[in-house]
Amino acid sequence: MEEEYIKLIFGLKLKQLRNKKNLSLFGLSKLTGLSKSYLNEIEKGKKYPKTDKIVLLADKLEIPYDSLVSLKLDKNLAPVGELLQSNVLKELPLELFGIKKGDLIDIIANAPTKVNAFISTIIEIAKHYDFGKESFYLAALRSYQEANNNYFPELEEAVLGFAEAYQIDLSKSVTAQELEEILIEEYGYTINNEELQKHTALDNLRSVFVPNSKTLHIAHRVDDAQRTFIYAKEIAYNYLKLTNRLYTFTWISFENFDQVLHNFYASYFAGALIIPKQLLKMYIDKFFAGSTINTHILAAARAQFNASPETLYQRLSNILPFDYQMENLFFLRFGTQKGSNWYNITKELHLTHVHSPHGNETNEKYCRKWVSIRVLQEIEQQNLEHHVDVQLSHYPNEGLTYLVLSSATKDPFKANEYRSVSLGLLVNDSLKKQVKFLNDPNLKTYNVGVTCERCALTDCELRQRPPKILMAKEKNEKTAEVVQQLLQSSKK
C-alpha cells in the first residue's frame, strides 16, 4: 500500500467520525488537545499521526484503535477508497487538462459524502453501458484532442525536424520504401511479411512489433497505404522516444493512459508525415474554391498521399480548425456487415461538444438520411471498392446545418464488412466565405435527426422505428403542463 493512500484513507475516516460526533475541527481540537491546524492536515491526507496520537483520537472519538487504523471503509466511503486505490489518478496525466492532483484530493476530503454519491453515479452509468477502463481512457483522450482543437504544433514541428534530419522531401508524398529503409538502417528493425499469416487468431491485426528482436511483423493483406502508415507510426515511436507503447496495430487493449496518449501521438505524427500540411492545403484550397462539388479532388488527394480515407479525413480534422478556422467540426467512423441493417459508430471526435451526431449506446437506429450510412449502403449495392459523397445535413430541432464529406471502403481485414469515415463542418459565416460550392444545385440538403426514436420528422420515408422516446418526452411535458394549469387554477 502506498503511504499517500494510507494517509488519505485515515484522514477521510477521521473526518467522517468527527462529523458523526457533530464536532467542528475546533471542537475536536479542544477535546483532544491537538492543534486545529494539525488535525486539518491529517484530514486532508497530508499527515499521518504517530501511534500515541492515534490512541488519543480513538479514545476521544470512542472507537477501537484497530478500527481507526484499518483501511477497510464503510459503504459511504468505499467508492472513494476504490478510486484512490485504483491507478486512474496515477495513470491519467491530469496536468494535460490543467488539473492538480491535490485539488482533487481536497474536493474528496472536504465533501466525501457528496463525492461518494457522484462517484457511485459514474460507476453505475459505467456498468450500465459496459464502460470499462479502456473506454474511460479513450474518452479522456477525445477530451484532450477537443481541448486543443485536434491540432498539436509540437508534433507538426517534430515532423519537420525529422524530415530535415533524414532528408525527406515534404513537397511530395513519402513512400513506404524510404520509411522502411530508415527503420532498418537507423533503428535496427527487421521486417517480416510472412509470420502473421501463419496464425489465424491474428487475422484482424495489421502489424505486431516484437521489441526484444526489433521485428516488425506485417500482415500480408496490408496494402501500400497501410504499410506506409505503419512504418511512419513506428518511426514516430522511435523519433519521439515513446517507450510506453502498444505493440499491435490495431490495438487489443490498453494497460494505462500513457499507452493511449502515445498511440495518439504516434498516429498524429504518422499522419502529418504522410500528408504534409502545405501540400494538403493546396488540395483543400482547390476543393473549396470550386463553384461546383468536385469529389475527384478528394480522390486525387488520397492517391497523391498514398493514404487511406481515414488518414486523409483525420488529417483534415487537424488542418481545418487551425488553418481555416473551421473549429466546429466532427469526425465519425461507421462500421457495418454485409447484408446488415445495423450501423455502429466505432470512432468519433467532436471539437464542439454540443454538435450532433454523437454516438448512441442505447440500441437506437441512427438516421438513415446521413451520408455516412448512405455511402455504406451504396458501396455494398454497387459492389464498389471506394465511394465518396457530400451532402448538407440540416437538423431542424437544433437549427444547425453541416457540410458532411463521407468516404466508404470495404474493410480489408474483416470479410464482408464495410466502413465509412465522415467529416462534418458547421455551415456558418466563416464556412460560407471559404466554400464556394454551397449553392451548387447538385449539393443535396437532407433534413436529418440523430436516431429514429428521437426524431420529430413526420414525413421520413426511411424511418426504421417509431419516435417512442420523443413521444414519451412530449407526453410527460403535456402532463406537466396540465398539472401546472390545475395548480394555477386552484390558487384563484
Side-chain angles (χ1 to χ4, degrees):
M1 299 297 295
E2 293 185 4
E3 181 182 349
E4 183 181 27
Y5 172 71
I6 295 172
K7 289 193 291 186
L8 286 168
I9 292 302
F10 187 91
L12 288 171
K13 292 183 74 171
L14 179 62
K15 184 166 186 174
Q16 185 185 47
L17 290 166
R18 175 174 64 79
N19 288 333
K20 283 183 178 179
K21 293 286 185 179
N22 198 29
L23 285 169
S24 64
L25 269 176
F26 180 83
L28 183 59
S29 174
K30 287 197 69 176
L31 184 65
T32 61
L34 303 174
S35 72
K36 179 182 173 183
S37 60
Y38 176 66
L39 292 170
N40 189 44
E41 294 282 286
I42 294 174
E43 289 191 357
K44 287 189 174 183
K46 296 179 180 179
K47 288 185 179 179
Y48 192 85
K50 293 181 178 179
T51 303
D52 60 328
K53 301 295 192 300
I54 298 175
V55 171
L56 176 62
L57 287 167
D59 178 56
K60 298 301 182 182
L61 291 171
E62 300 176 320
I63 183 173
Y65 175 91
D66 289 345
S67 178
L68 184 57
V69 298
S70 170
L71 294 176
K72 185 177 181 180
L73 299 171
D74 65 20
K75 64 177 183 179
N76 291 323
L77 287 178
V80 178
E82 288 177 17
L83 177 67
L84 294 175
Q85 196 174 6
S86 73
N87 289 326
V88 171
L89 294 181
K90 185 194 303 181
E91 293 175 354
L92 191 62
L94 299 172
E95 66 276 3
L96 286 179
F97 305 97
I99 300 172
K100 294 180 180 179
K101 186 176 178 181
D103 294 339
L104 287 181
I105 300 305
D106 283 344
I107 293 171
I108 292 171
N110 288 327
T113 303
K114 293 179 180 178
V115 172
N116 161 58
F118 174 74
I119 294 171
S120 296
T121 301
I122 297 299
I123 291 172
E124 285 302 311
I125 293 173
K127 288 178 180 177
H128 185 68
Y129 289 102
D130 193 23
F131 192 85
K133 180 177 71 172
E134 290 163 357
S135 299
F136 174 77
Y137 287 153
L138 291 171
L141 175 64
R142 285 196 299 271
S143 296
Y144 177 52
Q145 291 176 257
E146 291 160 2
N148 290 276
N149 280 329
N150 204 32
Y151 185 80
F152 295 84
E154 64 277 13
L155 295 176
E156 301 281 347
E157 289 297 322
V159 168
L160 296 178
F162 170 80
E164 182 179 3
Y166 291 89
Q167 291 298 286
I168 302 292
D169 185 0
L170 294 182
S171 66
K172 60 181 183 179
S173 56
V174 67
T175 66
Q177 289 73 21
E178 57 186 322
L179 296 184
E180 181 177 293
E181 184 180 3
I182 293 171
L183 282 174
I184 294 171
E185 297 296 330
E186 182 69 13
Y187 298 115
Y189 273 48
T190 298
I191 310 299
N192 187 314
N193 297 303
E194 308 298 330
E195 184 65 27
L196 290 191
Q197 60 183 311
K198 299 176 183 178
H199 307 276
T200 57
L202 304 182
D203 282 350
N204 289 334
L205 296 182
R206 303 183 190 186
S207 68
V208 177
F209 177 64
V210 181
N212 292 337
S213 61
K214 286 195 171 182
T215 301
L216 180 62
H217 297 279
I218 305 287
H220 70 284
R221 285 185 291 169
V222 162
D223 62 24
D224 195 56
Q226 293 164 343
R227 182 178 291 270
T228 304
F229 184 82
I230 291 168
Y231 286 166
K233 197 171 176 181
E234 287 299 321
I235 285 173
Y237 278 125
N238 287 275
Y239 186 75
L240 299 175
K241 296 179 171 61
L242 304 174
T243 55
N244 192 356
R245 55 161 291 181
L246 300 173
Y247 296 110
T248 64
F249 179 58
T250 54
W251 62 271
I252 300 172
S253 63
F254 297 116
E255 295 178 2
N256 52 60
F257 184 75
D258 276 349
Q259 290 182 346
V260 180
L261 187 63
H262 292 167
N263 179 65
F264 166 70
Y265 284 160
S267 298
Y268 189 107
F269 182 100
L273 178 60
I274 294 169
I275 307 179
K277 181 164 77 165
Q278 295 307 318
L279 204 53
L280 177 59
K281 288 176 66 176
M282 294 170 55
Y283 285 95
I284 295 173
D285 292 341
K286 186 177 180 180
F287 180 60
F288 286 164
S291 58
T292 59
I293 305 170
N294 187 353
T295 57
H296 295 297
I297 295 173
L298 297 178
R302 183 190 171 212
Q304 162 77 49
F305 300 120
N306 190 24
S308 68
E310 181 166 353
T311 301
L312 176 61
Y313 280 50
Q314 288 275 22
R315 190 65 178 133
L316 287 170
S317 74
N318 304 142
I319 304 305
L320 293 177
F322 185 80
D323 286 87
Y324 295 83
Q325 291 73 54
M326 296 181 183
E327 299 176 0
N328 300 292
L329 65 77
F330 62 78
F331 170 90
L332 297 176
R333 184 180 69 199
F334 271 86
T336 188
Q337 292 184 332
K338 185 176 182 179
S340 172
N341 192 33
W342 194 262
Y343 302 88
N344 295 310
I345 291 179
T346 57
K347 193 172 186 179
E348 62 180 315
L349 180 70
H350 300 262
L351 296 195
T352 306
H353 293 274
V354 298
H355 290 164
S356 294
H358 282 271
N360 192 294
E361 301 294 335
T362 54
N363 293 321
E364 297 174 36
K365 290 280 189 177
Y366 292 115
C367 179
R368 293 309 192 251
K369 291 186 176 181
W370 290 351
V371 65
S372 309
I373 291 177
R374 191 170 69 252
V375 290
L376 285 172
Q377 295 171 334
E378 292 173 355
I379 193 174
E380 178 181 353
Q381 293 166 1
Q382 300 173 35
N383 195 29
L384 303 171
E385 291 296 323
H386 181 220
H387 183 41
V388 181
D389 204 353
V390 184
Q391 77 175 43
L392 289 172
S393 293
H394 178 65
Y395 290 81
N397 288 352
E398 301 171 15
L400 300 176
T401 302
Y402 298 88
L403 173 67
V404 187
L405 323 174
S406 192
S407 291
T409 58
K410 293 180 179 179
D411 193 315
F413 286 88
K414 296 178 181 178
N416 299 318
E417 292 195 20
Y418 302 87
R419 60 169 56 183
S420 72
V421 288
S422 301
L423 196 68
L425 306 170
L426 180 67
V427 177
N428 53 21
D429 290 341
S430 175
L431 187 101
K432 290 176 181 178
K433 290 178 182 177
Q434 298 180 78
V435 180
K436 305 303 181 184
F437 59 74
L438 289 178
N439 294 320
D440 181 356
N442 293 316
L443 178 59
K444 295 181 179 179
T445 299
Y446 292 82
N447 286 330
V448 301
V450 177
T451 66
C452 293
E453 289 83 347
R454 302 170 190 269
C455 182
L457 298 175
T458 57
D459 58 347
C460 180
E461 70 283 4
L462 299 178
R463 180 179 289 282
Q464 302 293 301
R465 289 178 179 171
K468 59 181 182 179
I469 294 177
L470 182 65
M471 292 164 63
K473 180 182 177 183
E474 291 176 346
K475 182 178 179 180
N476 288 338
E477 289 176 349
K478 183 62 177 178
T479 300
E481 180 184 342
V482 174
V483 169
Q484 187 63 31
Q485 291 173 356
L486 288 175
L487 293 174
Q488 292 294 329
S489 62
S490 65
K491 294 179 181 180
K492 296 179 181 178

